[in-house]
């Protein structure tokens, strides 16, 4: 995040309430949301209301390089009301990396983000969404995914530096033979987290998979409500796992399945627990301290490729 203003690979960057950079190509149009709303009338079908800030990305042809966006807060008490729209045209494979962050700690900023992502017929979108905040920030994130026939979505959300309050929600609508694979990871430390995620299997042979990994430490509260609704003959699975590191923390995981078609198959698994003494003892026997052992276990639990600091150590910057 230190080099947001000069990063050559970023297609859209916004600091506080001003646009810092826009980079587009023949394959992908990139505009501020307000400009897209004014110039492209069809976008108004997706924006809930006239946007004031945020980005619009329209991938019109096959693109070989990943797209990247970055929205950051750098000054105290900044309030952002972000409205984004991404449209992937037919028969295209695209990849997007999206970062939302506070550049400094203790800014007490407000970040409200609403995004609409449309993946058209026979297209594939791989989207990686990373959040990194200070303790006093307040963050709300809302996403709606619309997948047309035979479209594929792979979506990852990670927030390993959770603000004081974090609210996230997502609704995913799948047409025939489309598929969505979600991976969500949150590490809360002295935070209150509320997550609501729903997948709607609206077309035959559609499929949805959601994997949640939640860690609560230092007087944190996490509430996660995950839901799959089968309106047609599709398949869905929920995998919710929580890890408690502090006796004053709590995790509530509510997986919900609603089947409206006798030919649909919906399944779920959920578990919440603590780090086992057996795992800790084994790692300590291999020469690790208790903090190092916990760090290693947490790293693996969250699916991190590289270790990040925990319990006083520096967090990995791999996703920054």
């Amino acid at each position: 995040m230190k080099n947001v203003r000069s990063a050559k690979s970023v297609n859209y960057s916004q600091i506080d309430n001003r646009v810092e950079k826009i980079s587009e190509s023949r394959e992908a149009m990139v505009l501020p949301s307000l400009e897209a709303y004014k110039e492209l009338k069809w976008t108004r079908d997706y924006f809930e209301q006239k946007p004031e800030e945020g980005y619009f990305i329209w991938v019109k042809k096959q693109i070989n390089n990943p797209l990247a966006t970055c929205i950051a807060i750098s000054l105290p008490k900044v309030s952002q009301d972000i409205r984004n729209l991404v449209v992937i045209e037919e028969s295209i494979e695209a990849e997007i990396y999206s970062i939302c962050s506070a550049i400094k700690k203790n800014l007490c900023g407000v970040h409200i983000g609403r995004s609409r992502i449309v993946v058209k017929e026979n297209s594939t979108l791989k989207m990686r969404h990373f959040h990194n905040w200070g303790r006093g920030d307040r963050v709300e994130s809302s996403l709606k995914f619309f997948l047309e026939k035979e479209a594929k979505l792979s979506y990852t959300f990670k927030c390993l530096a959770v603000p004081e309050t974090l609210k996230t929600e997502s609704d995913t609508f799948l047409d025939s033979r489309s598929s969505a694979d979600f991976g969500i990871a949150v590490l809360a430390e002295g935070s209150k987290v509320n997550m609501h995620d729903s997948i709607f299997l609206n077309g035959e042979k559609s499929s949805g998979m959601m994997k949640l990994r939640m860690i609560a430490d230092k007087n944190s509260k996490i509430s996660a409500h995950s839901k799959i609704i089968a309106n047609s003959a599709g398949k869905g699975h929920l995998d919710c796992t929580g890890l408690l590191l502090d006796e004053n923390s709590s995790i509530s995981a509510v997986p919900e399945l609603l089947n409206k078609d006798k030919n649909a198959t919906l399944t779920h698994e959920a578990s919440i627990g603590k780090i086992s003494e057996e795992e800790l003892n084994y790692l300590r026997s291999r020469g690790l301290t208790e903090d190092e052992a916990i760090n290693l276990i947490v790293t693996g639990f969250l699916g991190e490729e590289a270790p990040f600091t925990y319990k006083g150590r520096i967090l990995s910057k791999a996703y920054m």
Side-chain angles (χ1 to χ4, degrees), residues 1-7 10 13-15 21 70 72 103:
M1 289 303 303
K2 294 180 181 179
N3 299 316
V4 165
R5 293 176 176 83
S6 60
V10 174
S13 66
Q14 176 179 326
I15 307 296
K21 178 183 178 181
C70 184
I103 292 178

Side-chain angles (χ1 to χ4, degrees), residues 14-28:
Q14 176 179 326
I15 307 296
D16 299 326
N17 304 111
R18 66 185 183 276
V19 177
E20 290 286 324
K21 178 183 178 181
I22 290 180
S23 175
E24 57 182 341
S25 64
R26 291 179 300 174
E27 297 84 6

Side-chain angles (χ1 to χ4, degrees), residues 70-138:
C70 184
I71 297 176
I73 290 176
S74 68
L75 298 173
K77 297 183 179 180
V78 166
S79 181
Q80 296 177 328
D81 186 6
I82 307 296
R83 296 177 187 271
N84 306 317
L85 174 60
V86 177
V87 179
I88 312 296
E89 288 295 341
E90 294 184 8
S91 302
I92 289 173
E93 293 185 10
E95 188 171 357
I96 297 176
Y97 288 84
S98 180
I99 297 174
C100 299
S101 174
I103 292 178
K104 301 176 183 178
K105 304 301 180 183
N106 303 315
L107 294 177
C108 298
V110 176
H111 173 88
I112 299 175
R114 298 178 177 87
S115 299
R116 303 294 179 265
I117 295 93
V118 181
V119 186
K120 294 196 175 181
E121 188 171 342
N122 198 40
S123 287
T124 299
L125 173 62
K126 180 180 180 182
M127 190 170 188
R128 302 293 177 260
H129 195 183
F130 305 108
H131 276 217
N132 184 60
W133 301 103
R135 277 286 300 116
D137 297 325
R138 180 169 67 87

Side-chain angles (χ1 to χ4, degrees), residues 207-227:
S207 62
M209 167 73 181
M210 187 172 294
K211 179 180 178 182
L212 273 69
R213 295 295 179 264
M214 304 164 286
I215 295 180
D217 194 13
K218 293 185 179 179
N219 198 32
S220 292
K221 294 183 179 180
I222 299 177
S223 176
H225 190 165
S226 308
K227 188 174 184 179

